[in-house]
Amino acid sequence: MSPPVSAPVSPPASAPAALSRGVLLRVFLRSLFLQASWNPKGMQNLGLAYTVFPALESLYPEKEAQEAAVRRHLAFFNTHPYVAAAIVGGVIYHEQRIARGEEPPDKVMAFKAALMGPLAALGDGFFWLSLKPAVGAICAGLVPLLHAWAAVLFLVLYNLVHITLRARLYWMGLSLGDRLVEAVARDKLPARGARLRSVAAACSGGVAAWLAVDLGRTAGGAPAPWLVAGCLALGMVSYVLVQQRVPNYVVLYLAAVLACAAGAFL
């Protein structure tokens, strides 16, 4: 028995051939406010519907089709707010195909469900655990030179990278659709994140050494070498304990005890 043939999707009579640059720009700018209406039930669903609404409004001039398109994007949605730009671009890619009758509406739902989890993990690892600590450590190391301007430099550097990557991800989703997975993999964000974490560790070590020397100078100079040696010893002990799968709270309590001892000594 031959499988049933699905009925073709009929396109709206007045669906536009393509979205204008102005509409695409409005969608991207709205994506910057994805979490403005975060809620515990649908999480980022209201933000996503708000983001893509200019495109849906252009693609579905008929009120009923427009409302149906908005309703399907009010389902649960949650991912990293920066890499969500890739999903937003992919949603527009699929909605254009749906409006032209080239695929059914469940395609865009499957696209969102498949990508929001993996992209959330990718974004957390790169932005929260790599980029932000690295830029913060670099700017903290520049505090003796820039003073309060180091905070301004942090905002400029961090947002320069984050906005650039956000725009790139949006364009990738918009132009590639489902193929953006391979494109994101080629960018090797996890490997870049590992390099950024190395930069953050090196800069943090430099900041710690500078603080130790400065504190020693303030206290008369004598305790500085001991404090630096104690920091190095604490780092080595912490590394060994972590490698031996000692619980994190043990390491934290040990650090607190050593800090209290150093404070009493100084």
Side-chain angles (χ1 to χ4, degrees):
M1 182 177 178
S2 60
V5 179
S6 58
V9 183
S10 57
S14 55
L19 294 171
S20 66
R21 292 184 179 180
V23 170
L24 297 178
L25 179 60
R26 286 176 62 199
V27 170
F28 175 72
L29 294 177
R30 285 184 173 215
S31 71
L32 302 178
F33 303 94
L34 182 70
Q35 297 202 116
S37 55
W38 192 95
N39 62 94
K41 183 177 180 181
M43 295 195 173
Q44 297 169 338
N45 63 336
L46 293 176
L48 178 65
Y50 169 79
T51 297
V52 300
F53 182 74
L56 300 181
E57 193 176 29
S58 298
L59 291 171
Y60 304 102
E62 297 178 1
K63 201 66 176 177
E64 291 183 2
Q66 187 181 120
E67 290 177 357
V70 172
R71 277 197 300 270
R72 62 175 165 260
H73 294 298
L74 290 176
F76 175 86
F77 180 76
N78 189 52
T79 189
H80 191 280
Y82 297 173
V83 297
I87 298 181
V88 169
V91 165
I92 302 303
Y93 173 90
H94 282 285
E95 286 292 351
Q96 290 182 95
R97 291 176 58 84
I98 294 169
R100 293 194 297 262
E102 297 175 1
E103 63 183 35
D106 59 352
K107 286 286 187 179
V108 70
M109 304 299 293
F111 171 80
K112 292 191 301 180
L115 290 186
M116 61 182 178
L119 288 184
L122 182 68
D124 288 346
F126 181 78
F127 289 103
W128 293 165
L129 302 179
S130 303
L131 179 63
K132 185 175 287 186
V135 177
I138 291 172
C139 294
L142 294 175
V143 166
L145 297 176
L146 301 180
H147 305 291
W149 288 103
V152 178
L153 180 64
F154 170 83
L155 294 175
V156 171
L157 291 179
Y158 180 76
N159 286 299
L160 180 64
V161 177
H162 131 245
I163 294 293
T164 301
L165 277 177
R166 207 164 182 166
R168 173 174 167 76
L169 290 170
Y170 174 64
W171 178 253
M172 287 165 59
L174 193 63
S175 57
L176 299 176
D178 294 334
R179 292 174 295 152
L180 78 89
V181 177
E182 292 82 1
V184 170
R186 286 194 297 270
D187 277 356
K188 298 180 180 180
L189 289 181
R192 295 183 181 184
R195 288 194 289 269
L196 285 173
R197 288 192 293 273
S198 299
V199 171
C203 292
S204 298
V207 171
W210 169 71
L211 289 175
V213 172
D214 186 68
L215 180 60
R217 188 185 302 113
T218 303
W226 295 102
L227 188 57
V228 173
C231 290
L232 292 174
L234 177 59
M236 295 176 63
V237 170
S238 301
Y239 176 78
V240 172
L241 292 177
V242 170
Q243 292 298 312
Q244 297 297 322
R245 299 185 183 277
V246 175
N248 291 336
Y249 68 88
V250 175
V251 180
L252 292 175
Y253 279 127
L254 177 61
V257 171
L258 292 178
C260 291
F265 176 73
L266 294 174

